[in-house]
Amino acid sequence: MKRIVAFLMMILSVVIIAGCSNETATTNTTHTSIFTDPEIITKAMADLREMPELKGKDLKLFQDVTVSDIDGEGNVIDLDVLKPDTTDKVDHYTYINGKWTGPEPVQLTGDGNMDDNIMPIKSIDFSKVTQIYKIADEKAKAIEQGQVNKSVIYEFDVDAHMYRAHIHIEGAREKYTGIFDANGNLLMMRKD
C-alpha cells in the first residue's frame, strides 16, 4: 500500500511540475506593446539602419510612416525609404514580429519633385511614440468609454515640409485626434 501511495505521489509531483513549466512557458510569451516599451522602437530603428542595403547611408523617409500594435500581429512599423544612392527610387520596409522585411519596390505616381516628398529619418524622434500614446491614453480615460487607436501615423505635410503625428481616440459620445510634432510635443487635441 505504501508503494502505491508513494507511486501516486510521484506521479502527482510530475504532473504539478510539468503543469508549472507549461504555465511559465506561456507566461514568457506575453506581448509587449511598442506603445508602452520605448526600447522596442529604438531597437527596431537601429536594426533598420543596420540592414545591408541601408547600413552607413543617409536615410530619407518618403511620405507617411505608420507605427501600430495590431491585435493578432503585434508591433508593426510601415515606412518607405528613398533607396540610397538614387534620386527617384523608393523601397518599402515593414517591421513585424521583431524583424524588418523588405526592401519591396514602391511604384511612384505623379509628377512631383522627389525632394519635396522626403525627409531625413532623423527628422522623427521615434522614441517619443510611447509619450504620444501615454498622452492619448490620459485623454481616453477622461472621456466616456474612451479607447485609443493603437496606431500613430506620422503624416508628411508636403507644403510645410514636416511631419506631424496623429493618434485617434474614440469614446461613446465623442472622438478626438491628438496631433503632435515629430518630436512628440502635443500641438492640439482636436475634437472630431
Side-chain angles (χ1 to χ4, degrees):
M1 181 72 167
K2 287 182 182 179
R3 286 184 183 174
I4 294 173
V5 171
F7 181 71
L8 290 175
M9 292 296 279
M10 185 177 76
I11 290 175
L12 183 61
S13 297
V14 170
V15 169
I16 289 171
I17 291 169
C20 288
S21 67
N22 285 342
E23 186 176 309
T24 303
T26 304
T27 304
N28 289 339
T29 60
T30 58
H31 170 70
T32 304
S33 176
I34 201 165
F35 293 115
T36 57
D37 185 349
E39 293 299 316
I40 295 172
I41 199 160
T42 300
K43 183 179 180 325
M45 298 315 290
D47 290 350
L48 177 71
R49 289 181 183 96
E50 289 298 313
M51 292 188 75
E53 67 276 10
L54 303 177
K55 190 172 184 169
K57 303 292 183 173
D58 182 25
L59 303 183
K60 293 185 172 51
L61 296 171
F62 177 78
Q63 298 188 350
D64 299 348
V65 175
T66 303
V67 179
S68 304
D69 181 359
I70 301 171
D71 288 341
E73 291 187 39
N75 300 311
V76 179
I77 305 169
D78 279 303
L79 52 79
D80 295 325
V81 175
L82 179 67
K83 186 174 181 173
D85 304 321
T86 72
T87 58
D88 63 347
K89 292 177 179 46
V90 175
D91 288 328
H92 181 77
Y93 293 86
T94 300
Y95 175 85
I96 191 164
N97 296 324
K99 295 184 212 170
W100 285 99
T101 62
E104 295 290 327
V106 174
Q107 201 171 72
L108 302 175
T109 60
D111 58 358
N113 183 350
M114 181 60 77
D115 287 338
D116 294 338
N117 291 279
I118 57 173
M119 287 287 286
I121 197 167
K122 63 186 174 190
S123 66
I124 295 177
D125 186 351
F126 287 102
S127 71
K128 301 298 183 178
V129 165
T130 54
Q131 177 181 309
I132 290 169
Y133 183 80
K134 185 177 180 180
I135 291 169
D137 193 46
E138 288 300 315
K139 180 64 177 178
K141 290 175 184 174
I143 63 175
E144 185 179 343
Q145 296 176 14
Q147 295 288 319
V148 180
N149 180 330
K150 289 190 175 181
S151 202
V152 171
I153 302 169
Y154 287 91
E155 293 182 1
F156 184 69
D157 183 334
V158 175
D159 295 329
H161 206 70
M162 64 188 299
Y163 280 100
R164 288 192 186 92
H166 294 241
I167 189 166
H168 300 284
I169 305 151
E170 292 209 25
R173 302 176 194 280
E174 53 197 336
K175 296 181 194 179
Y176 290 87
T177 299
I179 303 173
F180 299 78
D181 68 16
N183 293 314
N185 300 306
L186 179 64
L187 299 174
M188 75 169 68
M189 190 63 69
R190 180 184 71 210
K191 188 172 182 178
D192 296 335

